[in-house]
Every structure is written in C-alpha cells, then in structure tokens.
Amino acid sequence: TGGNAGLAAAYAARQLGLPITVVVPSSSGPIPVRKLEELGATVEIYGKVWDDANRRAQELAKAEGWVSIPPFDHPLVWEGHSSLVQELKDSLEAKPGAIVVAVGGGGLLAGVVAGLQQVGWQDVPIIAAETLGAHSFHEALKAGRLVTLPDITSVATCLGAKTVAARALECARECQVISQVVEDAEAVRAMEQFLGE
C-alpha cells in the first residue's frame, strides 16, 4: 500500500485479532508507518514506490503462505467503493452533474463506475483527477492500452501506481470518463481550500 489501504486492512486485522504485515514504499513517509504500527501492524518498508512494495508483498505472500490483500485491483475493493454511489443516490434529490474521483491505481474509479451502473446513472460523467507524475490512467487512456510510467514523480505518492489497474481502463469504455491531470501545486492549493472551509 501507499498508506491508506494499509490502514484500512490494519484496522480490520486488529478488530479480527489477526496478524498483518503491511509493505509500504519509502515514499509513504513516517506518518503512515507510525499509524500502521499503532494499529498493531508489522510494517516493512520496501522500494521507492507502490509498485516496488507490491512486488515485495506478493513475494512474502507466496513464500509465507499468507493472503495478499490488494489496495485497489480487486473486485471486492470495487464492490466496497460502489456503495458510495448508492449513498449519493439516497442522499441527493437529483443525480449529480458529474462525479470527481482521484485516481491512483484505479480502484475507486472502478467502484464508482460499478455503482453508477447499479443505480442507473451511467450517463453521469466522471472526472478522473490525477497529478502529473502519477498519471498512469491518463497515459493509458491516451495510448488505448495500459502504460507503465518510468517513475512516480508527483508529491501525491500515496496515489502513485506506475500502471493503473486494467479494470480502470475498461471503465472508460463503459462510462463517460474525463481525464484531468493537474500540477502538484494545483492539487495542494485545492486541498488547502477544502481544509479551510
């Protein structure tokens, strides 16, 4: 994980009384590591970016006979995210004009598309936002196939996957997905604006 999915898995493991090892890249920084350890997870720092950490996690799972929990590329993850759209439908008086989704590995995007299909809102456009330097979805859309970035250079390291999930690319064929790539500074300004309100 880059951090967030690992925190969710560590919390669930603690609630279930199960051991968990979370592999994070060095780009995750000390705060997610500390939070993971506070939840009782064993943390291994491996590689520079998520792709490196994921490769190590797969090696550990195979060697130790562990179950691997992917942070974004799995139907159960998408199913969980799809419930967000049902919540939107239950709380809004009319369907939204658009939905903005941050894209890292593409799990949230896949879940939102599934949710839109479940509630009959396939015509609602999705704005898929990425920061330059972590824009593997944008590059895949442009090429019409999966593309692997040479490196993650964005400050949004927790969202950085050098290759987006194949399902995310399929989603762009099923719904109207508009790719929007922004500079790091724009993303930081937007976060500051939302935090200030």
Side-chain angles (χ1 to χ4, degrees):
T1 180
N4 298 332
L7 291 169
Y11 176 82
R14 185 180 72 179
Q15 295 301 106
L16 295 169
L18 297 172
I20 186 169
T21 297
V22 181
V23 184
V24 298
S26 60
S27 59
S28 290
I31 295 171
V33 171
R34 187 183 77 246
K35 289 181 179 181
L36 286 162
E37 290 172 342
E38 287 171 359
L39 287 168
T42 299
V43 180
E44 181 174 331
I45 300 169
Y46 186 88
K48 180 183 173 194
V49 296
W50 173 82
D51 304 76
D52 302 332
N54 183 57
R55 197 166 36 258
R56 175 66 178 150
Q58 298 306 315
E59 291 169 3
L60 284 171
K62 185 176 180 182
E64 303 292 336
W66 295 345
V67 173
S68 176
I69 302 171
F72 60 82
D73 197 2
H74 194 279
L76 289 176
V77 174
W78 310 331
E79 182 182 333
H81 291 320
S82 73
S83 66
L84 295 169
V85 180
Q86 185 61 56
E87 289 179 34
L88 277 176
K89 186 173 186 188
D90 292 345
S91 62
L92 297 176
E93 293 180 15
K95 67 181 169 183
I99 296 177
V100 179
V101 175
V103 176
L108 180 59
L109 173 62
V112 168
V113 167
L116 291 174
Q117 292 168 339
Q118 290 165 9
V119 302
W121 284 358
Q122 297 93 315
D123 58 330
V124 173
I126 300 170
I127 300 168
E130 296 173 285
T131 51
L132 186 64
H135 59 294
S136 58
F137 177 67
H138 178 80
E139 290 300 313
L141 276 180
K142 196 164 66 172
R145 60 176 172 74
L146 292 178
V147 171
T148 300
L149 299 176
D151 198 7
I152 300 297
T153 58
S154 169
V155 296
T157 55
C158 283
L159 293 177
K162 293 197 302 189
T163 309
V164 74
R167 177 67 190 129
L169 191 55
E170 293 169 6
C171 288
R173 297 180 187 114
E174 297 172 13
C175 287
Q176 182 185 358
V177 179
I178 302 160
S179 175
Q180 183 65 51
V181 178
V182 300
E183 297 281 344
D184 283 337
E186 293 175 282
V188 170
R189 276 196 306 273
M191 285 177 37
E192 289 171 345
Q193 181 181 347
F194 282 115
L195 288 172
E197 293 181 357

